[in-house]
Amino acid sequence: MKATVFQTLTLSIPVDPIGLVTVFLQPFSPTQGRITIVNHGDAWSAYWDAMPEPLAEFFVESSDDYLVSKLHQRPITRHEAARLKRIIGVVRVALQERLKAEASL
């Protein structure tokens, strides 16, 4: 049995009311993976079994509305959607920076 590689990215945003965001990236294969985002006791998770690119790149390239619908699979208020979109934006920027750093190695 092959061990799963877990990549953890923790973001801290002290100037924004978002606060501490913890992101768990779980790439199970180049086309399968899960992301879990935790903020102030709330958690959102989504799994993809057929991505055209690795998890981090896929998340960065996906639209906010698509990601909200995958991460929050039950009815959501406009306020909750706006909060989750702000968090997705923070995660996207952090992943972009991480991908750039990895590419420069």
Short mmCIF file of all heavy atoms in Angstrom, two decimals, residues 40-89:
data_model
loop_
_atom_site.label_atom_id
_atom_site.label_comp_id
_atom_site.label_asym_id
_atom_site.label_seq_id
_atom_site.Cartn_x
_atom_site.Cartn_y
_atom_site.Cartn_z
N HIS A 40 -12.06 29.65 11.82
CA HIS A 40 -12.93 29.96 12.96
C HIS A 40 -13.93 28.85 13.26
O HIS A 40 -15.13 29.09 13.44
CB HIS A 40 -13.69 31.27 12.74
CG HIS A 40 -12.81 32.47 12.73
ND1 HIS A 40 -12.08 32.88 13.82
CD2 HIS A 40 -12.53 33.35 11.74
CE1 HIS A 40 -11.40 33.96 13.51
NE2 HIS A 40 -11.65 34.27 12.26
N GLY A 41 -13.50 27.61 13.27
CA GLY A 41 -14.37 26.49 13.61
C GLY A 41 -15.23 25.98 12.47
O GLY A 41 -15.90 24.97 12.60
N ASP A 42 -15.23 26.66 11.33
CA ASP A 42 -15.93 26.18 10.15
C ASP A 42 -14.94 25.45 9.26
O ASP A 42 -13.76 25.81 9.20
CB ASP A 42 -16.54 27.35 9.35
CG ASP A 42 -17.66 28.04 10.10
OD1 ASP A 42 -18.46 27.33 10.73
OD2 ASP A 42 -17.73 29.27 10.04
N ALA A 43 -15.43 24.43 8.57
CA ALA A 43 -14.57 23.67 7.66
C ALA A 43 -15.33 23.37 6.39
O ALA A 43 -16.53 23.09 6.42
CB ALA A 43 -14.10 22.39 8.32
N TRP A 44 -14.62 23.46 5.27
CA TRP A 44 -15.18 23.14 3.97
C TRP A 44 -14.22 22.18 3.29
O TRP A 44 -13.01 22.36 3.35
CB TRP A 44 -15.32 24.40 3.12
CG TRP A 44 -16.12 25.48 3.77
CD1 TRP A 44 -17.48 25.64 3.71
CD2 TRP A 44 -15.63 26.55 4.58
NE1 TRP A 44 -17.86 26.74 4.43
CE2 TRP A 44 -16.74 27.32 4.99
CE3 TRP A 44 -14.37 26.92 5.02
CZ2 TRP A 44 -16.62 28.44 5.79
CZ3 TRP A 44 -14.25 28.04 5.82
CH2 TRP A 44 -15.37 28.79 6.19
N SER A 45 -14.76 21.18 2.64
CA SER A 45 -13.91 20.18 2.00
C SER A 45 -14.51 19.78 0.66
O SER A 45 -15.74 19.72 0.51
CB SER A 45 -13.78 18.96 2.91
OG SER A 45 -12.83 18.07 2.40
N ALA A 46 -13.64 19.50 -0.30
CA ALA A 46 -14.10 19.04 -1.61
C ALA A 46 -13.09 18.02 -2.13
O ALA A 46 -11.89 18.12 -1.88
CB ALA A 46 -14.21 20.19 -2.60
N TYR A 47 -13.63 17.04 -2.86
CA TYR A 47 -12.81 15.98 -3.46
C TYR A 47 -13.05 15.98 -4.96
O TYR A 47 -14.18 16.13 -5.42
CB TYR A 47 -13.20 14.62 -2.86
CG TYR A 47 -12.57 13.46 -3.59
CD1 TYR A 47 -11.25 13.13 -3.38
CD2 TYR A 47 -13.31 12.71 -4.51
CE1 TYR A 47 -10.66 12.07 -4.06
CE2 TYR A 47 -12.73 11.65 -5.19
CZ TYR A 47 -11.41 11.34 -4.96
OH TYR A 47 -10.84 10.29 -5.64
N TRP A 48 -11.98 15.81 -5.71
CA TRP A 48 -12.08 15.69 -7.17
C TRP A 48 -11.42 14.38 -7.58
O TRP A 48 -10.31 14.08 -7.15
CB TRP A 48 -11.37 16.85 -7.86
CG TRP A 48 -12.07 18.14 -7.70
CD1 TRP A 48 -13.08 18.64 -8.49
CD2 TRP A 48 -11.83 19.14 -6.70
NE1 TRP A 48 -13.48 19.87 -8.02
CE2 TRP A 48 -12.73 20.20 -6.92
CE3 TRP A 48 -10.96 19.23 -5.61
CZ2 TRP A 48 -12.77 21.34 -6.13
CZ3 TRP A 48 -11.00 20.36 -4.82
CH2 TRP A 48 -11.90 21.40 -5.08
N ASP A 49 -12.09 13.63 -8.43
CA ASP A 49 -11.53 12.36 -8.89
C ASP A 49 -11.07 12.42 -10.34
O ASP A 49 -10.57 11.43 -10.86
CB ASP A 49 -12.49 11.21 -8.66
CG ASP A 49 -13.78 11.35 -9.45
OD1 ASP A 49 -13.97 12.37 -10.13
OD2 ASP A 49 -14.61 10.44 -9.36
N ALA A 50 -11.22 13.56 -10.97
CA ALA A 50 -10.79 13.69 -12.37
C ALA A 50 -10.47 15.14 -12.69
O ALA A 50 -11.25 15.84 -13.33
CB ALA A 50 -11.88 13.17 -13.31
N MET A 51 -9.31 15.60 -12.24
CA MET A 51 -8.87 16.97 -12.52
C MET A 51 -7.95 16.95 -13.73
O MET A 51 -7.17 16.02 -13.90
CB MET A 51 -8.11 17.54 -11.32
CG MET A 51 -8.92 17.67 -10.06
SD MET A 51 -7.92 18.25 -8.66
CE MET A 51 -6.81 16.87 -8.42
N PRO A 52 -7.98 18.01 -14.54
CA PRO A 52 -7.08 18.06 -15.69
C PRO A 52 -5.65 18.45 -15.33
O PRO A 52 -4.76 18.40 -16.18
CB PRO A 52 -7.73 19.13 -16.57
CG PRO A 52 -8.46 20.01 -15.62
CD PRO A 52 -8.93 19.11 -14.51
N GLU A 53 -5.43 18.87 -14.09
CA GLU A 53 -4.10 19.30 -13.63
C GLU A 53 -3.99 19.01 -12.14
O GLU A 53 -5.00 18.71 -11.49
CB GLU A 53 -3.90 20.77 -13.94
CG GLU A 53 -4.98 21.68 -13.38
CD GLU A 53 -5.01 23.03 -14.07
OE1 GLU A 53 -4.05 23.40 -14.74
OE2 GLU A 53 -6.02 23.72 -13.92
N PRO A 54 -2.79 19.10 -11.57
CA PRO A 54 -2.63 18.84 -10.14
C PRO A 54 -3.52 19.76 -9.28
O PRO A 54 -3.92 20.84 -9.71
CB PRO A 54 -1.15 19.10 -9.89
CG PRO A 54 -0.51 18.82 -11.21
CD PRO A 54 -1.50 19.31 -12.24
N LEU A 55 -3.79 19.34 -8.06
CA LEU A 55 -4.75 19.97 -7.17
C LEU A 55 -4.51 21.48 -6.99
O LEU A 55 -5.44 22.27 -7.14
CB LEU A 55 -4.73 19.26 -5.82
CG LEU A 55 -5.69 19.76 -4.75
CD1 LEU A 55 -7.14 19.71 -5.23
CD2 LEU A 55 -5.52 18.95 -3.48
N ALA A 56 -3.33 21.89 -6.64
CA ALA A 56 -3.07 23.32 -6.39
C ALA A 56 -3.35 24.15 -7.63
O ALA A 56 -4.02 25.19 -7.55
CB ALA A 56 -1.64 23.53 -5.91
N GLU A 57 -2.87 23.69 -8.78
CA GLU A 57 -3.10 24.42 -10.03
C GLU A 57 -4.59 24.44 -10.37
O GLU A 57 -5.12 25.47 -10.81
CB GLU A 57 -2.32 23.79 -11.18
CG GLU A 57 -0.83 23.99 -11.09
CD GLU A 57 -0.12 22.85 -10.37
OE1 GLU A 57 -0.76 22.13 -9.56
OE2 GLU A 57 1.08 22.69 -10.59
N PHE A 58 -5.26 23.33 -10.16
CA PHE A 58 -6.69 23.24 -10.45
C PHE A 58 -7.47 24.23 -9.59
O PHE A 58 -8.35 24.94 -10.07
CB PHE A 58 -7.18 21.80 -10.21
CG PHE A 58 -8.64 21.62 -10.48
CD1 PHE A 58 -9.11 21.56 -11.78
CD2 PHE A 58 -9.54 21.50 -9.43
CE1 PHE A 58 -10.47 21.39 -12.03
CE2 PHE A 58 -10.89 21.32 -9.68
CZ PHE A 58 -11.36 21.27 -10.98
N PHE A 59 -7.14 24.30 -8.30
CA PHE A 59 -7.83 25.22 -7.40
C PHE A 59 -7.60 26.66 -7.84
O PHE A 59 -8.55 27.46 -7.90
CB PHE A 59 -7.34 25.02 -5.97
CG PHE A 59 -8.15 25.76 -4.94
CD1 PHE A 59 -9.24 25.15 -4.34
CD2 PHE A 59 -7.83 27.06 -4.58
CE1 PHE A 59 -10.00 25.83 -3.40
CE2 PHE A 59 -8.58 27.74 -3.64
CZ PHE A 59 -9.67 27.14 -3.05
N VAL A 60 -6.37 27.00 -8.17
CA VAL A 60 -6.03 28.37 -8.59
C VAL A 60 -6.80 28.76 -9.85
O VAL A 60 -7.26 29.90 -9.97
CB VAL A 60 -4.50 28.51 -8.79
CG1 VAL A 60 -4.15 29.77 -9.53
CG2 VAL A 60 -3.79 28.45 -7.44
N GLU A 61 -6.96 27.83 -10.78
CA GLU A 61 -7.60 28.13 -12.06
C GLU A 61 -9.12 28.09 -12.02
O GLU A 61 -9.78 28.61 -12.93
CB GLU A 61 -7.10 27.16 -13.14
CG GLU A 61 -5.61 27.28 -13.42
CD GLU A 61 -5.22 28.65 -13.96
OE1 GLU A 61 -6.00 29.22 -14.76
OE2 GLU A 61 -4.15 29.15 -13.58
N SER A 62 -9.72 27.48 -11.00
CA SER A 62 -11.18 27.34 -10.94
C SER A 62 -11.84 28.65 -10.50
O SER A 62 -11.26 29.44 -9.77
CB SER A 62 -11.56 26.23 -9.96
OG SER A 62 -11.09 24.99 -10.42
N SER A 63 -13.07 28.84 -10.93
CA SER A 63 -13.80 30.07 -10.59
C SER A 63 -14.28 30.02 -9.14
O SER A 63 -14.49 28.94 -8.56
CB SER A 63 -15.00 30.26 -11.51
OG SER A 63 -16.03 29.35 -11.18
N ASP A 64 -14.48 31.20 -8.56
CA ASP A 64 -14.97 31.28 -7.18
C ASP A 64 -16.32 30.59 -7.03
O ASP A 64 -16.53 29.85 -6.07
CB ASP A 64 -15.12 32.75 -6.76
CG ASP A 64 -13.79 33.43 -6.51
OD1 ASP A 64 -12.75 32.76 -6.52
OD2 ASP A 64 -13.81 34.66 -6.31
N ASP A 65 -17.24 30.83 -7.95
CA ASP A 65 -18.57 30.24 -7.85
C ASP A 65 -18.51 28.72 -7.88
O ASP A 65 -19.22 28.05 -7.13
CB ASP A 65 -19.50 30.77 -8.94
CG ASP A 65 -19.86 32.23 -8.73
OD1 ASP A 65 -19.91 32.68 -7.56
OD2 ASP A 65 -20.08 32.94 -9.72
N TYR A 66 -17.67 28.17 -8.76
CA TYR A 66 -17.53 26.72 -8.83
C TYR A 66 -16.98 26.17 -7.51
O TYR A 66 -17.48 25.19 -6.97
CB TYR A 66 -16.61 26.33 -9.99
CG TYR A 66 -16.24 24.87 -9.97
CD1 TYR A 66 -17.16 23.89 -10.34
CD2 TYR A 66 -14.97 24.46 -9.57
CE1 TYR A 66 -16.82 22.54 -10.30
CE2 TYR A 66 -14.62 23.11 -9.54
CZ TYR A 66 -15.56 22.17 -9.91
OH TYR A 66 -15.22 20.84 -9.86
N LEU A 67 -15.95 26.83 -6.97
CA LEU A 67 -15.34 26.35 -5.73
C LEU A 67 -16.31 26.47 -4.55
O LEU A 67 -16.36 25.57 -3.71
CB LEU A 67 -14.04 27.10 -5.45
CG LEU A 67 -12.91 26.81 -6.45
CD1 LEU A 67 -11.75 27.76 -6.21
CD2 LEU A 67 -12.47 25.35 -6.36
N VAL A 68 -17.08 27.55 -4.49
CA VAL A 68 -18.08 27.68 -3.43
C VAL A 68 -19.07 26.53 -3.50
O VAL A 68 -19.40 25.91 -2.49
CB VAL A 68 -18.80 29.04 -3.50
CG1 VAL A 68 -20.05 29.05 -2.61
CG2 VAL A 68 -17.87 30.17 -3.09
N SER A 69 -19.53 26.21 -4.71
CA SER A 69 -20.52 25.12 -4.84
C SER A 69 -19.93 23.76 -4.47
O SER A 69 -20.63 22.92 -3.92
CB SER A 69 -21.09 25.08 -6.26
OG SER A 69 -20.12 24.63 -7.18
N LYS A 70 -18.64 23.54 -4.74
CA LYS A 70 -17.99 22.27 -4.37
C LYS A 70 -17.70 22.21 -2.87
O LYS A 70 -17.85 21.16 -2.26
CB LYS A 70 -16.69 22.08 -5.15
CG LYS A 70 -16.85 21.69 -6.58
CD LYS A 70 -17.42 20.30 -6.74
CE LYS A 70 -16.40 19.23 -6.42
NZ LYS A 70 -16.87 17.87 -6.68
N LEU A 71 -17.26 23.32 -2.30
CA LEU A 71 -16.87 23.33 -0.90
C LEU A 71 -18.07 23.40 0.05
O LEU A 71 -18.02 22.90 1.16
CB LEU A 71 -15.94 24.51 -0.62
CG LEU A 71 -14.54 24.39 -1.22
CD1 LEU A 71 -13.85 25.74 -1.23
CD2 LEU A 71 -13.72 23.36 -0.48
N HIS A 72 -19.14 24.04 -0.37
CA HIS A 72 -20.32 24.24 0.48
C HIS A 72 -21.51 23.62 -0.23
O HIS A 72 -22.25 24.28 -0.95
CB HIS A 72 -20.54 25.74 0.71
CG HIS A 72 -21.35 26.04 1.92
ND1 HIS A 72 -22.68 25.73 2.03
CD2 HIS A 72 -20.99 26.61 3.09
CE1 HIS A 72 -23.12 26.13 3.21
NE2 HIS A 72 -22.11 26.66 3.87
N GLN A 73 -21.72 22.34 -0.04
CA GLN A 73 -22.67 21.58 -0.85
C GLN A 73 -24.11 21.62 -0.34
O GLN A 73 -24.96 20.92 -0.86
CB GLN A 73 -22.19 20.13 -0.98
CG GLN A 73 -20.88 20.07 -1.69
CD GLN A 73 -20.36 18.66 -1.84
OE1 GLN A 73 -20.96 17.71 -1.37
NE2 GLN A 73 -19.24 18.52 -2.50
N ARG A 74 -24.40 22.45 0.62
CA ARG A 74 -25.79 22.61 1.04
C ARG A 74 -26.18 24.07 0.80
O ARG A 74 -25.33 24.88 0.45
CB ARG A 74 -25.97 22.20 2.51
CG ARG A 74 -24.98 22.77 3.44
CD ARG A 74 -25.08 22.18 4.84
NE ARG A 74 -24.50 23.09 5.79
CZ ARG A 74 -23.21 23.21 6.02
NH1 ARG A 74 -22.36 22.46 5.37
NH2 ARG A 74 -22.76 24.07 6.88
N PRO A 75 -27.45 24.43 0.98
CA PRO A 75 -27.85 25.82 0.73
C PRO A 75 -26.99 26.80 1.52
O PRO A 75 -26.60 26.55 2.66
CB PRO A 75 -29.30 25.85 1.19
CG PRO A 75 -29.78 24.44 1.04
CD PRO A 75 -28.58 23.58 1.36
N ILE A 76 -26.70 27.92 0.89
CA ILE A 76 -25.80 28.91 1.49
C ILE A 76 -26.39 30.30 1.32
O ILE A 76 -26.98 30.61 0.28
CB ILE A 76 -24.40 28.79 0.82
CG1 ILE A 76 -23.37 29.68 1.50
CG2 ILE A 76 -24.47 29.07 -0.66
CD1 ILE A 76 -21.94 29.44 1.04
N THR A 77 -26.25 31.13 2.34
CA THR A 77 -26.73 32.49 2.25
C THR A 77 -25.74 33.34 1.46
O THR A 77 -24.58 32.95 1.28
CB THR A 77 -26.91 33.13 3.64
OG1 THR A 77 -25.62 33.27 4.25
CG2 THR A 77 -27.82 32.28 4.53
N ARG A 78 -26.18 34.49 1.02
CA ARG A 78 -25.30 35.40 0.29
C ARG A 78 -24.12 35.81 1.16
O ARG A 78 -22.98 35.92 0.69
CB ARG A 78 -26.10 36.62 -0.15
CG ARG A 78 -25.84 37.00 -1.56
CD ARG A 78 -26.56 38.25 -1.99
NE ARG A 78 -27.73 38.59 -1.22
CZ ARG A 78 -28.91 38.87 -1.73
NH1 ARG A 78 -29.09 38.85 -3.02
NH2 ARG A 78 -29.93 39.21 -0.96
N HIS A 79 -24.38 36.04 2.44
CA HIS A 79 -23.31 36.43 3.38
C HIS A 79 -22.28 35.31 3.52
O HIS A 79 -21.07 35.56 3.50
CB HIS A 79 -23.92 36.79 4.74
CG HIS A 79 -22.91 37.09 5.79
ND1 HIS A 79 -22.13 38.22 5.77
CD2 HIS A 79 -22.52 36.39 6.88
CE1 HIS A 79 -21.31 38.22 6.81
NE2 HIS A 79 -21.53 37.11 7.50
N GLU A 80 -22.75 34.07 3.68
CA GLU A 80 -21.83 32.93 3.79
C GLU A 80 -21.02 32.74 2.52
O GLU A 80 -19.82 32.46 2.57
CB GLU A 80 -22.61 31.64 4.08
CG GLU A 80 -23.23 31.58 5.46
CD GLU A 80 -24.17 30.40 5.62
OE1 GLU A 80 -24.89 30.05 4.65
OE2 GLU A 80 -24.17 29.82 6.72
N ALA A 81 -21.67 32.90 1.37
CA ALA A 81 -20.97 32.77 0.09
C ALA A 81 -19.90 33.84 -0.06
O ALA A 81 -18.80 33.57 -0.52
CB ALA A 81 -21.96 32.82 -1.07
N ALA A 82 -20.22 35.06 0.35
CA ALA A 82 -19.24 36.15 0.26
C ALA A 82 -18.04 35.87 1.16
O ALA A 82 -16.89 36.09 0.77
CB ALA A 82 -19.90 37.48 0.63
N ARG A 83 -18.30 35.38 2.38
CA ARG A 83 -17.20 35.04 3.29
C ARG A 83 -16.33 33.94 2.70
O ARG A 83 -15.10 34.02 2.70
CB ARG A 83 -17.77 34.59 4.63
CG ARG A 83 -16.71 34.10 5.59
CD ARG A 83 -17.29 33.71 6.94
NE ARG A 83 -16.28 33.06 7.74
CZ ARG A 83 -16.46 31.91 8.37
NH1 ARG A 83 -17.61 31.29 8.31
NH2 ARG A 83 -15.49 31.39 9.08
N LEU A 84 -16.97 32.89 2.17
CA LEU A 84 -16.21 31.79 1.59
C LEU A 84 -15.42 32.25 0.37
O LEU A 84 -14.28 31.82 0.17
CB LEU A 84 -17.13 30.62 1.25
CG LEU A 84 -16.47 29.33 0.78
CD1 LEU A 84 -15.34 28.89 1.70
CD2 LEU A 84 -17.51 28.23 0.64
N LYS A 85 -15.97 33.14 -0.43
CA LYS A 85 -15.23 33.67 -1.59
C LYS A 85 -14.01 34.46 -1.14
O LYS A 85 -12.95 34.38 -1.78
CB LYS A 85 -16.14 34.54 -2.46
CG LYS A 85 -17.08 33.74 -3.31
CD LYS A 85 -17.93 34.64 -4.19
CE LYS A 85 -18.90 33.83 -5.02
NZ LYS A 85 -19.71 34.66 -5.92
N ARG A 86 -14.13 35.23 -0.04
CA ARG A 86 -12.95 35.96 0.48
C ARG A 86 -11.88 34.96 0.91
O ARG A 86 -10.69 35.15 0.63
CB ARG A 86 -13.34 36.85 1.65
CG ARG A 86 -14.06 38.11 1.25
CD ARG A 86 -14.16 39.11 2.40
NE ARG A 86 -14.77 38.57 3.60
CZ ARG A 86 -16.08 38.53 3.84
NH1 ARG A 86 -16.92 39.00 2.95
NH2 ARG A 86 -16.53 38.03 4.98
N ILE A 87 -12.29 33.89 1.58
CA ILE A 87 -11.33 32.87 2.03
C ILE A 87 -10.71 32.17 0.82
O ILE A 87 -9.49 31.95 0.79
CB ILE A 87 -12.03 31.87 2.98
CG1 ILE A 87 -12.39 32.59 4.29
CG2 ILE A 87 -11.16 30.66 3.24
CD1 ILE A 87 -13.31 31.81 5.20
N ILE A 88 -11.51 31.83 -0.18
CA ILE A 88 -10.99 31.20 -1.40
C ILE A 88 -9.96 32.11 -2.05
O ILE A 88 -8.91 31.64 -2.51
CB ILE A 88 -12.14 30.87 -2.38
CG1 ILE A 88 -12.94 29.68 -1.85
CG2 ILE A 88 -11.62 30.61 -3.79
CD1 ILE A 88 -14.26 29.44 -2.59
N GLY A 89 -10.21 33.41 -2.07
CA GLY A 89 -9.26 34.36 -2.65
C GLY A 89 -7.92 34.34 -1.92
O GLY A 89 -6.86 34.36 -2.55
#
